[in-house]
Amino acid sequence: MKSTTLLSLFLILAFFKVTHSVAQNPSTREMDRINWMEFSEFVPEKITTVLLPTGTLEPHGVINNGADNTAPFAMANELADQLNALISPPLNYGMTGSLANYPGAFEISEEAYSLFIRDILKGLAKNQFKNIIILNGHGGGQTAVLQKVAAQVANELGVRTLVINWWSYASDVTLEVFKEDGGHAGLNETAYIQAIDSTLVQQERYTPNQATAYPKDKSWSAVPFPSAIGLYQQGQGYPNFDQAQADEYFQKVNAKVLKLIQDTIAKWDLAGL
């Protein structure tokens, strides 16, 4: 009898331990996959941070048109557990700019984009996220709009926002891994996508003459830009399709971005903001 009682107690404790551990993490980190009741159990009591991937659709050399969406969404999935964050559905349409006339590209006006991103950020704040981290995959005028609107929403609603252009912030990682600079759809961005999903890289379509270096000091301007690969430095940044380097780059970029987010949140908390 005594052994039976002990066994029953052990099973009850084991069951409690399992159910308790499950309750510490949501069933999914993606907001469009979580149930509303489960969402309310975690936000804001257990989860106060949300990751919002933003990008656009435009040509990227021999990688996918949606590379600016693929990269930040994959990054969000890599970082969400470590940040105890949820992932907002990505904003996959953006302010494309000089590549808007290429096949498959989309261009959203600044006015429409500003209003839409503002309402998204306000919606995330309404859902009681304290830390709104924008992982941006597309630069140009879109960066300025994101920074401006994020700052306005932060000040108006008392939330904390951080906008990160991953390729720019990790430029030192590009030099560390590849020993040279990168570019739009160049060595660095192609490698990051290759690490995520090599089937999105059509190496057989690549030739070096598909790349053009960006002009220095605005010495010339062409619309559409003449190449789907734009190099930051003349003679540097051509894709090399090295899988080992791609995997190394992916991990090091993610680690650098993770530390920035962790440090920023910790300093917000320290300041009592």
Side-chain angles (χ1 to χ4, degrees):
M1 179 65 73
K2 184 176 180 181
S3 61
T4 302
T5 301
L6 289 173
L7 177 60
S8 298
L9 180 60
F10 173 79
L11 291 174
I12 291 171
L13 291 172
F15 176 77
F16 175 79
K17 182 177 181 181
V18 170
T19 55
H20 181 70
S21 64
V22 170
Q24 298 307 303
N25 294 298
S27 60
T28 176
R29 293 288 177 177
E30 296 181 40
M31 282 178 59
D32 60 353
R33 296 174 63 88
I34 199 170
N35 178 273
W36 68 274
M37 291 175 282
E38 185 181 9
F39 184 97
S40 70
E41 293 167 0
F42 283 89
V43 181
E45 183 179 349
K46 297 177 181 178
I47 295 177
T48 59
T49 300
V50 63
L51 305 175
L52 170 59
T54 58
T56 196
L57 286 166
E58 65 177 5
H60 279 82
V62 295
I63 59 179
N64 57 317
N65 274 10
D68 288 348
N69 305 318
T70 303
F73 184 65
M75 182 178 291
N77 275 282
E78 286 290 314
L79 304 185
D81 282 338
Q82 298 172 82
L83 293 167
N84 188 30
L86 290 188
I87 304 170
S88 172
L91 178 51
N92 288 335
Y93 298 96
M95 297 168 55
T96 297
S98 64
L99 297 174
N101 288 332
Y102 278 76
F106 281 77
E107 169 76 347
I108 306 300
S109 70
E110 181 175 340
E111 179 183 13
Y113 190 81
S114 297
L115 292 172
F116 197 28
I117 192 67
R118 177 186 297 277
D119 280 350
I120 292 173
L121 297 180
K122 288 171 64 177
L124 294 172
K126 174 181 174 291
N127 276 284
Q128 301 185 71
F129 289 107
K130 183 67 173 177
N131 309 310
I132 302 175
I133 313 299
I134 300 175
L135 299 176
N136 183 39
H138 176 66
Q142 181 165 305
T143 295
V145 170
L146 287 172
Q147 292 174 340
K148 178 181 178 180
V149 174
Q152 290 173 343
V153 171
N155 290 330
E156 291 169 8
L157 301 181
V159 293
R160 311 185 300 193
T161 62
L162 173 63
V163 181
I164 305 171
N165 286 348
W166 70 265
W167 70 96
S168 178
Y169 183 66
S171 59
D172 59 332
V173 179
T174 300
L175 295 175
E176 175 190 347
V177 174
F178 302 110
K179 313 306 180 189
E180 60 181 279
D181 210 344
H184 167 82
L187 183 61
N188 53 335
E189 193 172 19
T190 297
Y192 197 88
I193 296 299
Q194 183 174 343
I196 296 167
D197 183 355
S198 61
T199 66
L200 298 177
V201 182
Q202 297 187 10
Q203 182 178 352
E204 70 281 1
R205 293 180 179 269
Y206 172 73
T207 60
N209 64 6
Q210 293 172 329
T212 299
Y214 289 119
K216 296 296 184 182
D217 302 321
K218 299 181 180 180
S219 57
W220 59 269
S221 176
V223 177
F225 193 72
S227 298
I229 301 175
L231 306 177
Y232 299 147
Q233 302 287 339
Q234 186 73 45
Q236 297 184 26
Y238 294 92
N240 67 5
F241 309 104
D242 184 304
Q243 188 65 52
Q245 281 191 325
D247 293 338
E248 178 188 2
Y249 186 66
F250 181 78
Q251 296 299 327
K252 288 185 174 180
V253 168
N254 293 342
K256 184 177 176 67
V257 172
L258 173 64
K259 188 175 187 306
L260 171 63
I261 298 171
Q262 289 174 329
D263 288 351
T264 302
I265 292 175
K267 290 175 180 178
W268 279 333
D269 290 342
L270 182 64
L273 299 172

